[in-house]
Amino acid sequence: MKLIQNYIDGRFVPGKREFADVNPADGTVIAQVTEADEAQVDEAVQSAHRALRGEWSRLGVRERAVRLRKVADAIEKRFDCFVEAEVADTGKPVSLASKLDVPRAAANFRVFADLVKLSGLESFQTETPDGTNALNYAVRKPLGVVGVITPWNLPLLLLTWKVAPALACGNAVVVKPSEETPSTATLLAEAMQDAGIPNGVYNVVHGFGPGSAGEFLTQHPGVNAVTFTGESRTGTAIMKTVASTVKPVSFELGGKNAAIVFADCNFEEAVNGLSDAVFLNSGQVCLCAERLYVERKIFDAFVDALTRKAESLHPGWPKDEKTDLGPLISKQHREKVLSYYRLAEEEGATVVTGGGIPKFGDERDNGFYVQPTIYTGLSESARCVKEEIFGPVCHIAPFDSEEQAVAMANDTKYGLAASIWTSNLKRGHRVAQQMNVGITWVNCWFLRDLRTPFGGAGLSGIGREGGMHSLNFYSELNNICIRL
Ligand code: NAD
């Protein structure tokens, strides 16, 4: 059986304990994974500090950018291996991994290789009331060793989204990928070797959260900052852990995202766009819409059309090009999603479609599939309308006025993303600006420009990454004041 090992100081290293990597499509074990103990996490952090004192710190921005581009090339050279590993770990359709996850990983390295060269100096000429003159300028320095903790839903995409800017700014990283999806972070180590990234700059420690590699990493005094993507309550736990060593954090957390569909929208575009927004990656994208508000005039027609889309989705083997709906990530996560399916009925929902488990009559029945599901009829205070489910499911409610739609969309503790569907440009701007979220799309969803700010308000996160926002987080400013 394949063994996925930790990667420390440029070497793949085994450990004392192992855990299973399970294929969510049929429940089979595809690999064993080495769990890093506290001593190995410490070794990874120490090796990152050694790397910071070595060749890496002397490379300069231009050469770092050259090597980051080589990492992108090395990912593309292994394109098929990355796609295969991502599909096996996550169960996501091969069409999605090859169009989204792996190309975005390469793009993450290229965009930050370009941007880091643009980040200039800030300078201020100072004149005090007593006539003293001074020149101030601020230099950007790496933070040091960055702990990177990532989830299972877009494993390589989200990992490289953080590793690329961290390395562009001259840091070294210790990454802890999700225990559910350990493969591509480990494959990335090979790409780093190909690209000439010095030993110790990129380290991988595998394991779980509390009492395991995740917690060992966040509590380590040698880790200078933590960047995390995952559930909001994990963010709370990490925040408590890092408080004692006052580490800067960047958190990209959960969501309960709303979409507002006005009667004047392009109906077909709205249905197609929201079918993606609800069901892509089996609803396991933090940006997915789980609350749809539709103007009453088109409510019935919209529910019918989205139902037809849900029922035309093709759940299947992830490797099959025709599959557009894979399994959920794990048995445990399916239990959670199914518990919400049951709860919705207890809370009085009308099940428009789905609500259960598909039957295949083959090994996929041992996998973790659920039916795409649409509910109507819940009150706005129902738990299924308030809590993140993270599956292929949405609730659709009617609205009568713009004001009411905005109020319902904003009635959440989360604040990640929203989408507005209207052909009235003024209304699009007006409503978008009232959304209490980090990103609002108008007549589209998940259209990303990597230079733009990305992150969430409220329970959905702290800070913004993307473009210069990433470079600001992954560097420390030292202001130098020179009396003239
Ligand atoms: P999770 O919080 O359970 O786990 C994420 C990572 O944190 C894993 O690597 C896990 O091992 C680690 N971890 C868990 N407890 C820890 C602890 N106490 N200390 C240190 N590390 C710990 O999240 P998940 O189930 O893997 O991912 C799904 C969640 O991620 C959803 O809530 C989703 O909305 C969110 N998400 C957010 C974004 C975003 O950009 N805002 C993107 C993707 C996913």
Side-chain angles (χ1 to χ4, degrees), residues 150-153 176 179 228-231 234 252-254 286 388:
T150 48
W152 45 258
N153 62 327
K176 209 298 281 170
E179 54 274 34
F228 166 72
T229 302
E231 277 199 31
T234 311
E252 296 178 341
L253 308 177
C286 55
E388 182 186 49

Side-chain angles (χ1 to χ4, degrees), residues 148-154 158 161 176-180 207-218 228-235 237-238 241 251-255 257 284-287 329 333 336 388 390 414 416 454-456 460-461:
V148 181
I149 301 186
T150 48
W152 45 258
N153 62 327
L154 302 164
L158 292 170
W161 175 240
K176 209 298 281 170
S178 168
E179 54 274 34
E180 307 285 356
F208 304 84
S212 182
E215 192 176 9
F216 300 150
L217 185 60
T218 52
F228 166 72
T229 302
E231 277 199 31
S232 303
R233 62 170 169 266
T234 311
I238 292 177
T241 308
F251 283 173
E252 296 178 341
L253 308 177
N257 308 308
Q284 302 168 119
V285 179
C286 55
L287 305 166
I329 186 68
H333 187 54
K336 176 185 156 186
E388 182 186 49
F390 220 52
Y414 290 102
L416 189 55
F454 181 87
S460 293

Side-chain angles (χ1 to χ4, degrees), residues 276-440:
D276 280 349
V278 176
F279 302 119
L280 190 86
N281 207 33
S282 292
Q284 302 168 119
V285 179
C286 55
L287 305 166
C288 277
E290 292 191 1
R291 296 181 295 137
L292 275 46
Y293 298 103
V294 179
E295 196 165 350
R296 197 176 297 278
K297 270 183 262 181
I298 59 163
F299 181 78
D300 290 340
F302 183 88
V303 172
D304 282 354
L306 196 69
T307 303
R308 279 197 299 280
K309 290 293 277 184
E311 291 173 354
S312 71
L313 290 172
H314 187 263
W317 287 110
K319 281 185 181 171
D320 184 342
E321 290 282 350
K322 291 196 295 294
T323 296
D324 44 25
L325 197 77
L328 298 179
I329 186 68
S330 64
K331 190 170 183 209
Q332 191 191 8
H333 187 54
R334 181 166 77 167
E335 274 314 307
K336 176 185 156 186
V337 172
L338 288 175
S339 76
Y340 278 102
Y341 282 13
R342 287 190 293 274
L343 178 65
E345 292 189 49
E346 285 160 30
E347 290 186 311
T350 301
V351 186
V352 182
T353 187
I357 297 173
K359 286 275 165 277
F360 296 99
D362 58 26
E363 294 86 349
R364 283 171 294 179
D365 291 335
N366 302 322
F368 315 127
Y369 291 82
V370 292
Q371 291 173 328
T373 295
I374 297 176
Y375 295 116
T376 56
L378 286 172
S379 91
E380 283 300 295
S381 59
R383 280 183 54 204
C384 288
V385 178
K386 288 279 170 255
E387 298 172 12
E388 182 186 49
I389 303 175
F390 220 52
V393 53
C394 70
H395 177 252
I396 316 183
F399 70 85
D400 296 301
S401 69
E402 183 179 309
E403 204 182 16
Q404 186 195 12
V406 169
M408 291 198 290
N410 278 338
D411 186 13
T412 171
K413 292 193 167 118
Y414 290 102
L416 189 55
S419 65
I420 316 292
W421 301 82
T422 176
S423 55
N424 178 333
L425 193 59
K426 276 192 182 171
R427 171 145 60 195
H429 284 288
R430 189 171 61 231
V431 175
Q433 289 180 21
Q434 292 176 77
M435 294 290 101
N436 297 332
V437 295
I439 183 162
T440 304

